[in-house]
Coordinates of all heavy atoms in Angstrom, one line a residue:
M1 N -78.4 39.7 -21.4 CA -77.8 40.9 -20.9 C -76.3 41.0 -21.3 O -75.6 40.1 -21.2 CB -78.0 41.0 -19.3 CG -77.5 42.3 -18.8 SD -78.0 42.6 -17.1 CE -77.3 41.3 -16.2
A2 N -75.9 42.2 -21.6 CA -74.6 42.4 -22.1 C -73.6 42.4 -20.8 O -74.0 42.8 -19.8 CB -74.4 43.8 -22.8
P3 N -72.4 41.8 -21.0 CA -71.5 41.8 -19.9 C -71.1 43.2 -19.5 O -70.9 44.1 -20.3 CB -70.2 41.0 -20.5 CG -70.6 40.5 -21.8 CD -71.9 41.1 -22.2
G4 N -71.0 43.4 -18.2 CA -70.7 44.7 -17.7 C -71.8 45.7 -17.6 O -71.7 46.8 -17.1
G5 N -73.0 45.2 -18.1 CA -74.2 46.1 -17.9 C -74.8 46.0 -16.5 O -74.3 45.2 -15.7
P6 N -75.7 46.9 -16.3 CA -76.3 46.8 -14.9 C -77.0 45.5 -14.7 O -77.7 45.0 -15.5 CB -77.3 48.0 -14.9 CG -77.6 48.2 -16.3 CD -76.4 47.8 -17.1
S7 N -76.8 44.9 -13.5 CA -77.5 43.7 -13.1 C -78.8 44.0 -12.5 O -79.0 45.1 -11.9 CB -76.7 42.8 -12.2 OG -76.6 43.5 -10.9
R8 N -79.8 43.2 -12.7 CA -81.1 43.4 -12.1 C -81.4 42.2 -11.2 O -81.8 41.2 -11.6 CB -82.1 43.4 -13.3 CG -83.5 43.7 -12.8 CD -84.4 43.9 -13.9 NE -85.8 43.9 -13.4 CZ -86.8 43.8 -14.2 NH1 -86.7 43.7 -15.5 NH2 -88.1 43.7 -13.6
R9 N -81.2 42.5 -9.9 CA -81.4 41.4 -8.9 C -82.9 41.6 -8.4 O -83.4 42.7 -8.2 CB -80.5 41.6 -7.7 CG -79.1 41.4 -8.1 CD -78.2 41.5 -6.9 NE -77.3 40.3 -6.9 CZ -76.7 39.8 -5.9 NH1 -76.8 40.4 -4.7 NH2 -75.9 38.8 -6.0
Q10 N -83.4 40.4 -8.2 CA -84.8 40.4 -7.7 C -84.8 39.6 -6.4 O -84.2 38.5 -6.3 CB -85.8 39.8 -8.7 CG -85.9 40.7 -10.0 CD -86.9 40.1 -11.0 OE1 -87.3 39.0 -10.8 NE2 -87.3 40.9 -12.0
A11 N -85.7 40.0 -5.5 CA -85.8 39.2 -4.3 C -86.7 38.0 -4.6 O -87.6 38.1 -5.5 CB -86.4 40.1 -3.2
S12 N -86.5 37.0 -3.8 CA -87.4 35.8 -4.0 C -88.8 36.1 -3.6 O -89.1 37.0 -2.8 CB -86.9 34.6 -3.2 OG -87.0 34.8 -1.9
F13 N -89.8 35.4 -4.1 CA -91.2 35.6 -3.7 C -91.4 35.3 -2.2 O -92.2 35.9 -1.6 CB -92.1 34.8 -4.6 CG -93.5 35.2 -4.5 CD1 -93.9 36.5 -5.1 CD2 -94.5 34.5 -3.9 CE1 -95.3 36.9 -5.0 CE2 -95.8 34.8 -3.8 CZ -96.2 36.1 -4.4
G14 N -90.6 34.4 -1.7 CA -90.7 34.0 -0.3 C -90.4 35.2 0.6 O -91.0 35.5 1.6
A15 N -89.3 35.9 0.2 CA -88.9 37.2 0.9 C -90.0 38.2 0.8 O -90.2 39.0 1.7 CB -87.5 37.6 0.4
H16 N -90.6 38.3 -0.4 CA -91.7 39.2 -0.6 C -92.8 38.9 0.3 O -93.4 39.9 0.9 CB -92.1 39.1 -2.1 CG -93.3 40.0 -2.5 ND1 -93.1 41.2 -3.0 CD2 -94.6 39.8 -2.4 CE1 -94.2 41.8 -3.3 NE2 -95.2 40.9 -2.9
Q17 N -93.2 37.7 0.5 CA -94.2 37.3 1.4 C -93.9 37.6 2.9 O -94.7 38.1 3.6 CB -94.6 35.8 1.2 CG -95.4 35.5 0.0 CD -95.8 34.1 -0.1 OE1 -94.9 33.2 -0.1 NE2 -97.1 33.8 -0.2
V18 N -92.6 37.4 3.2 CA -92.2 37.6 4.6 C -92.4 39.2 4.9 O -92.9 39.6 5.9 CB -90.8 37.2 4.9 CG1 -90.2 37.8 6.2 CG2 -90.7 35.7 4.9
A19 N -92.0 40.0 3.9 CA -92.1 41.4 4.1 C -93.6 41.8 4.2 O -93.9 42.7 4.9 CB -91.4 42.1 2.9
E20 N -94.4 41.2 3.4 CA -95.8 41.5 3.4 C -96.5 41.1 4.7 O -97.3 41.8 5.3 CB -96.6 40.9 2.3 CG -96.4 41.6 1.0 CD -97.3 41.1 -0.2 OE1 -97.7 39.9 -0.1 OE2 -97.5 41.8 -1.1
Y21 N -96.1 39.9 5.3 CA -96.6 39.5 6.6 C -96.2 40.5 7.6 O -97.0 40.9 8.5 CB -96.1 38.1 6.9 CG -96.9 37.0 6.2 CD1 -96.2 36.0 5.6 CD2 -98.3 36.9 6.2 CE1 -96.9 35.0 4.9 CE2 -99.0 35.9 5.6 CZ -98.2 34.9 4.9 OH -98.9 33.9 4.3
A22 N -94.9 40.9 7.6 CA -94.4 41.9 8.6 C -95.2 43.2 8.5 O -95.6 43.8 9.5 CB -92.9 42.1 8.4
L23 N -95.3 43.7 7.2 CA -96.0 45.0 7.1 C -97.5 44.8 7.5 O -98.0 45.8 8.1 CB -95.9 45.4 5.6 CG -96.6 46.7 5.2 CD1 -96.1 47.8 6.0 CD2 -96.6 46.9 3.7
A24 N -98.1 43.7 7.2 CA -99.5 43.5 7.6 C -99.7 43.6 9.1 O -100.6 44.2 9.6 CB -100.1 42.2 7.0
M25 N -98.7 42.9 9.8 CA -98.8 42.9 11.2 C -98.6 44.3 11.8 O -99.2 44.7 12.7 CB -97.7 41.9 11.8 CG -97.8 41.6 13.2 SD -96.7 40.3 13.9 CE -95.6 39.9 12.6
A26 N -97.6 45.0 11.2 CA -97.3 46.3 11.7 C -98.5 47.3 11.5 O -98.9 48.1 12.4 CB -96.1 46.9 11.0
L27 N -99.2 47.2 10.3 CA -100.4 48.0 10.1 C -101.5 47.7 11.1 O -102.1 48.6 11.6 CB -100.9 47.7 8.7 CG -100.1 48.3 7.5 CD1 -100.7 47.8 6.2 CD2 -100.2 49.8 7.6
V28 N -101.7 46.4 11.4 CA -102.8 46.1 12.4 C -102.4 46.6 13.8 O -103.2 47.1 14.5 CB -103.0 44.5 12.3 CG1 -103.9 44.1 13.5 CG2 -103.6 44.1 11.0
V29 N -101.1 46.4 14.1 CA -100.7 46.8 15.5 C -100.8 48.3 15.7 O -101.4 48.8 16.7 CB -99.3 46.3 15.8 CG1 -98.7 47.0 17.0 CG2 -99.2 44.8 16.0
V30 N -100.4 49.1 14.7 CA -100.5 50.5 14.7 C -101.9 50.9 14.7 O -102.4 51.8 15.4 CB -99.7 51.2 13.6 CG1 -100.0 52.7 13.5 CG2 -98.2 51.0 13.8
G31 N -102.7 50.2 13.8 CA -104.1 50.6 13.8 C -104.9 50.4 15.1 O -105.8 51.1 15.4
L32 N -104.5 49.4 15.9 CA -105.1 49.2 17.2 C -104.7 50.2 18.2 O -105.3 50.2 19.3 CB -104.8 47.8 17.6 CG -105.4 46.6 16.8 CD1 -104.9 45.3 17.3 CD2 -106.9 46.7 16.8
H33 N -103.8 51.0 17.9 CA -103.3 52.1 18.9 C -103.8 53.5 18.5 O -103.4 54.4 19.2 CB -101.8 52.0 19.0 CG -101.3 50.9 19.8 ND1 -101.0 49.7 19.2 CD2 -101.0 50.7 21.1 CE1 -100.6 48.8 20.1 NE2 -100.6 49.4 21.2
V34 N -104.6 53.6 17.5 CA -105.1 54.9 17.1 C -106.6 54.8 17.2 O -107.2 53.8 17.4 CB -104.6 55.3 15.7 CG1 -103.2 55.5 15.6 CG2 -105.1 54.3 14.6
N35 N -107.3 55.9 17.0 CA -108.7 56.0 17.1 C -109.4 56.5 15.8 O -108.7 57.2 15.0 CB -109.2 56.9 18.3 CG -108.7 56.3 19.6 OD1 -108.8 55.2 19.8 ND2 -108.2 57.3 20.5
G36 N -110.6 56.3 15.7 CA -111.4 56.8 14.6 C -111.2 56.0 13.3 O -111.0 54.9 13.3
R37 N -111.4 56.8 12.2 CA -111.4 56.2 10.9 C -110.0 55.6 10.5 O -109.9 54.6 9.8 CB -111.8 57.2 9.8 CG -111.8 56.7 8.5 CD -112.2 57.7 7.5 NE -113.7 57.9 7.5 CZ -114.4 58.8 6.9 NH1 -113.8 59.7 6.1 NH2 -115.7 58.8 7.0
T38 N -109.0 56.2 11.0 CA -107.6 55.7 10.8 C -107.4 54.3 11.3 O -106.8 53.5 10.6 CB -106.6 56.7 11.5 OG1 -106.8 58.0 11.0 CG2 -105.2 56.3 11.1
E39 N -108.0 54.0 12.4 CA -107.9 52.7 13.0 C -108.5 51.7 12.0 O -107.9 50.6 11.7 CB -108.7 52.6 14.3 CG -108.8 51.2 14.9 CD -109.6 51.1 16.2 OE1 -110.3 52.1 16.5 OE2 -109.5 50.1 16.8
L40 N -109.7 52.0 11.5 CA -110.4 51.0 10.6 C -109.6 50.9 9.3 O -109.4 49.7 8.8 CB -111.7 51.6 10.3 CG -112.6 50.8 9.2 CD1 -112.9 49.4 9.9 CD2 -113.8 51.5 8.8
V41 N -109.1 51.9 8.7 CA -108.3 51.9 7.5 C -107.0 51.0 7.7 O -106.7 50.2 6.8 CB -107.9 53.3 7.0 CG1 -106.9 53.2 5.9 CG2 -109.2 54.0 6.6
L42 N -106.3 51.3 8.8 CA -105.1 50.5 9.0 C -105.3 49.0 9.2 O -104.6 48.2 8.7 CB -104.3 51.1 10.1 CG -103.6 52.5 9.9 CD1 -103.0 53.0 11.1 CD2 -102.6 52.4 8.7
V43 N -106.3 48.7 10.0 CA -106.6 47.3 10.4 C -107.1 46.5 9.1 O -106.7 45.4 8.9 CB -107.6 47.2 11.5 CG1 -108.1 45.8 11.8 CG2 -106.9 47.7 12.8
V44 N -108.0 47.2 8.4 CA -108.5 46.5 7.2 C -107.4 46.4 6.1 O -107.3 45.3 5.5 CB -109.7 47.3 6.6 CG1 -110.1 46.8 5.2 CG2 -110.9 47.2 7.5
S45 N -106.5 47.4 6.0 CA -105.4 47.3 5.0 C -104.5 46.2 5.4 O -104.0 45.4 4.6 CB -104.7 48.6 5.0 OG -105.5 49.6 4.5
G46 N -104.2 46.1 6.7 CA -103.3 45.0 7.2 C -103.9 43.6 7.0 O -103.3 42.7 6.6
G47 N -105.2 43.5 7.2 CA -105.9 42.3 7.0 C -105.9 41.8 5.6 O -105.7 40.7 5.2
L48 N -106.2 42.8 4.7 CA -106.2 42.5 3.2 C -104.8 42.0 2.7 O -104.7 41.1 1.9 CB -106.7 43.7 2.5 CG -108.2 44.0 2.5 CD1 -108.5 45.3 1.8 CD2 -109.0 42.8 2.0
L49 N -103.8 42.8 3.2 CA -102.4 42.4 2.9 C -102.0 41.0 3.3 O -101.4 40.2 2.6 CB -101.5 43.4 3.4 CG -100.0 43.4 2.9 CD1 -100.0 43.6 1.3 CD2 -99.2 44.5 3.5
A50 N -102.4 40.7 4.5 CA -102.1 39.3 5.1 C -102.9 38.3 4.3 O -102.4 37.2 3.9 CB -102.5 39.3 6.5
L51 N -104.2 38.6 4.0 CA -105.0 37.6 3.2 C -104.4 37.4 1.9 O -104.4 36.3 1.4 CB -106.4 38.2 3.1 CG -107.4 37.3 2.4 CD1 -107.6 36.0 3.1 CD2 -108.7 38.0 2.2
L52 N -103.9 38.4 1.2 CA -103.4 38.3 -0.1 C -102.1 37.4 -0.1 O -101.9 36.5 -0.9 CB -103.0 39.7 -0.7 CG -102.3 39.7 -2.0 CD1 -103.3 39.2 -3.1 CD2 -101.9 41.1 -2.4
S53 N -101.3 37.5 1.0 CA -100.2 36.6 1.1 C -100.6 35.2 1.4 O -99.9 34.2 1.0 CB -99.2 37.1 2.2 OG -98.5 38.2 1.7
I54 N -101.6 35.1 2.2 CA -102.0 33.7 2.6 C -102.6 32.9 1.4 O -102.4 31.7 1.3 CB -103.1 33.8 3.7 CG1 -102.5 34.3 5.0 CG2 -103.9 32.5 3.9 CD1 -103.5 34.7 6.1
V55 N -103.2 33.6 0.4 CA -103.8 32.8 -0.7 C -103.1 32.8 -2.0 O -103.5 32.3 -3.0 CB -105.3 33.3 -0.9 CG1 -106.2 33.1 0.3 CG2 -105.3 34.8 -1.4
S56 N -101.8 33.5 -1.9 CA -101.0 33.5 -3.2 C -100.1 32.3 -3.3 O -99.7 31.8 -2.3 CB -100.2 34.8 -3.1 OG -101.0 35.9 -3.2
K57 N -99.9 31.9 -4.5 CA -99.0 30.7 -4.7 C -97.5 31.1 -4.4 O -96.8 31.6 -5.2 CB -99.1 30.3 -6.2 CG -100.4 29.7 -6.5 CD -100.5 29.2 -7.9 CE -101.8 28.6 -8.2 NZ -102.0 28.1 -9.6
G58 N -97.1 30.8 -3.2 CA -95.8 31.0 -2.8 C -95.4 30.0 -1.7 O -96.3 29.2 -1.2
S59 N -94.2 30.1 -1.2 CA -93.7 29.0 -0.3 C -94.3 29.3 1.1 O -94.4 28.3 1.9 CB -92.2 29.1 -0.2 OG -91.8 30.4 0.2
L60 N -94.8 30.5 1.4 CA -95.4 30.8 2.8 C -96.9 30.9 2.7 O -97.5 31.4 3.6 CB -94.8 32.0 3.3 CG -93.2 32.0 3.5 CD1 -92.7 33.3 3.9 CD2 -92.9 30.9 4.5
A61 N -97.6 30.4 1.7 CA -99.0 30.5 1.6 C -99.7 29.4 2.3 O -99.2 28.2 2.2 CB -99.4 30.6 0.1
A62 N -100.8 29.6 2.8 CA -101.6 28.6 3.4 C -102.5 27.9 2.3 O -102.6 26.6 2.3 CB -102.6 29.1 4.5
W63 N -103.1 28.7 1.4 CA -103.8 28.2 0.3 C -103.2 28.8 -1.0 O -103.2 30.0 -1.1 CB -105.3 28.5 0.4 CG -105.9 28.0 1.7 CD1 -106.2 26.7 1.9 CD2 -106.2 28.8 2.8 NE1 -106.8 26.6 3.2 CE2 -106.8 27.9 3.8 CE3 -106.2 30.1 3.2 CZ2 -107.2 28.2 5.0 CZ3 -106.6 30.5 4.4 CH2 -107.1 29.6 5.3
K64 N -102.8 28.0 -1.9 CA -102.2 28.4 -3.1 C -103.3 28.6 -4.2 O -103.5 27.7 -5.0 CB -101.1 27.5 -3.5 CG -100.0 27.4 -2.5 CD -99.0 26.3 -2.9 CE -97.9 26.1 -1.9 NZ -97.4 26.6 -0.9
I65 N -103.9 29.7 -4.2 CA -105.0 30.0 -5.1 C -104.6 31.0 -6.2 O -104.9 30.8 -7.3 CB -106.3 30.5 -4.3 CG1 -106.7 29.5 -3.2 CG2 -107.4 30.9 -5.2 CD1 -107.7 30.0 -2.3
I66 N -104.1 32.1 -5.8 CA -103.8 33.3 -6.7 C -102.4 33.1 -7.2 O -101.4 33.0 -6.5 CB -103.9 34.6 -5.9 CG1 -105.4 34.8 -5.4 CG2 -103.6 35.8 -6.8 CD1 -105.6 36.0 -4.6
P67 N -102.2 33.2 -8.6 CA -100.9 33.1 -9.2 C -100.1 34.4 -8.8 O -100.6 35.4 -8.4 CB -101.1 33.1 -10.7 CG -102.6 33.2 -10.9 CD -103.2 33.3 -9.6
R68 N -98.8 34.2 -8.9 CA -97.9 35.3 -8.5 C -98.1 36.6 -9.3 O -98.0 37.7 -8.7 CB -96.4 34.9 -8.6 CG -96.0 33.8 -7.6 CD -94.6 33.5 -7.8 NE -94.3 32.3 -6.8 CZ -93.1 31.8 -6.7 NH1 -92.1 32.2 -7.5 NH2 -92.9 30.8 -5.9
R69 N -98.3 36.5 -10.6 CA -98.5 37.7 -11.3 C -99.7 38.5 -10.9 O -99.7 39.7 -10.8 CB -98.6 37.4 -12.8 CG -97.3 37.1 -13.5 CD -97.5 37.1 -15.0 NE -96.2 36.9 -15.7 CZ -95.5 38.0 -16.1 NH1 -96.0 39.2 -15.9 NH2 -94.4 37.8 -16.7
L70 N -100.8 37.8 -10.6 CA -102.0 38.4 -10.1 C -101.8 39.0 -8.7 O -102.3 40.1 -8.4 CB -103.2 37.4 -10.1 CG -104.6 37.9 -9.7 CD1 -105.0 39.0 -10.7 CD2 -105.6 36.8 -9.8
H71 N -101.0 38.3 -7.9 CA -100.6 38.8 -6.6 C -99.9 40.2 -6.7 O -100.3 41.1 -6.0 CB -99.7 37.8 -5.8 CG -99.2 38.3 -4.6 ND1 -99.7 38.0 -3.4 CD2 -98.1 39.2 -4.4 CE1 -99.0 38.6 -2.5 NE2 -98.0 39.3 -3.0
L72 N -99.0 40.3 -7.6 CA -98.2 41.5 -7.8 C -99.2 42.6 -8.4 O -99.0 43.8 -8.0 CB -97.1 41.3 -8.8 CG -96.0 40.3 -8.2 CD1 -94.9 40.0 -9.2 CD2 -95.4 40.8 -6.9
A73 N -100.1 42.2 -9.2 CA -101.1 43.3 -9.6 C -102.0 43.7 -8.5 O -102.2 44.9 -8.3 CB -102.0 42.7 -10.7
F74 N -102.4 42.8 -7.6 CA -103.1 43.2 -6.4 C -102.3 44.1 -5.5 O -102.8 45.0 -4.8 CB -103.6 42.0 -5.6 CG -104.9 41.4 -6.2 CD1 -105.0 40.0 -6.4 CD2 -105.9 42.2 -6.7 CE1 -106.1 39.4 -6.9 CE2 -107.1 41.6 -7.2 CZ -107.2 40.2 -7.3
D75 N -101.0 43.8 -5.4 CA -100.1 44.7 -4.6 C -100.1 46.1 -5.1 O -100.2 47.0 -4.3 CB -98.6 44.2 -4.7 CG -98.3 43.0 -3.8 OD1 -99.1 42.8 -2.9 OD2 -97.2 42.4 -4.0
L76 N -100.1 46.3 -6.4 CA -100.2 47.7 -7.0 C -101.5 48.3 -6.6 O -101.6 49.5 -6.3 CB -100.0 47.6 -8.5 CG -98.6 47.2 -8.9 CD1 -98.5 47.1 -10.5 CD2 -97.5 48.1 -8.4
V77 N -102.6 47.6 -6.7 CA -103.9 48.1 -6.4 C -104.0 48.5 -4.8 O -104.4 49.6 -4.5 CB -105.0 47.1 -6.7 CG1 -106.4 47.6 -6.1 CG2 -105.1 46.9 -8.2
L78 N -103.4 47.6 -4.0 CA -103.4 48.0 -2.6 C -102.6 49.2 -2.3 O -102.9 50.1 -1.4 CB -102.9 46.8 -1.8 CG -103.9 45.7 -1.5 CD1 -103.3 44.5 -0.8 CD2 -105.1 46.2 -0.6
E79 N -101.5 49.3 -3.0 CA -100.6 50.5 -2.8 C -101.3 51.8 -3.2 O -101.1 52.8 -2.6 CB -99.3 50.3 -3.6 CG -98.3 49.3 -3.0 CD -97.1 49.1 -3.9 OE1 -96.9 49.9 -4.8 OE2 -96.5 48.1 -3.7
A80 N -102.0 51.7 -4.3 CA -102.8 52.9 -4.8 C -103.8 53.3 -3.8 O -104.1 54.5 -3.7 CB -103.3 52.6 -6.2
C81 N -104.4 52.3 -3.2 CA -105.5 52.6 -2.3 C -104.9 53.3 -1.0 O -105.5 54.0 -0.3 CB -106.3 51.4 -1.9 SG -107.3 50.8 -3.3

């Protein structure tokens, strides 16, 4: 990168996982306070997001199965859904 050019800072993957765990928990909590189809969508989305963080290769994972690049691709799929 050229000196004086814009810097591109990236958050660590650990911080990414912390944010995903927090978002997953928030989705489940909010989902449990609504009724109908919205409840199901929020709870399932939160569960999938938590599961994705649990099985991805990162410092906060329980099982290191999915590589980081694939995790980020799944993030995009979940966001699109």
Side-chain angles (χ1 to χ4, degrees):
M1 182 166 61
S7 67
R8 184 174 166 192
R9 295 184 134 199
Q10 294 181 349
S12 69
F13 193 71
H16 178 92
Q17 282 182 303
V18 168
E20 281 187 340
Y21 283 129
L23 179 60
M25 191 172 10
L27 286 171
V28 170
V29 168
V30 170
L32 294 176
H33 286 87
V34 296
N35 295 321
R37 181 178 282 175
T38 306
E39 175 184 16
L40 179 65
V41 169
L42 290 174
V43 171
V44 169
S45 297
L48 288 175
L49 192 58
L51 180 65
L52 182 60
S53 287
I54 289 170
V55 298
S56 295
K57 291 182 179 178
S59 57
L60 300 175
W63 301 287
K64 297 174 181 359
I65 300 170
I66 298 175
R68 290 180 183 181
R69 283 192 173 266
L70 186 57
H71 172 101
L72 296 174
F74 281 136
D75 277 347
L76 294 175
V77 170
L78 281 174
E79 287 175 16
C81 292

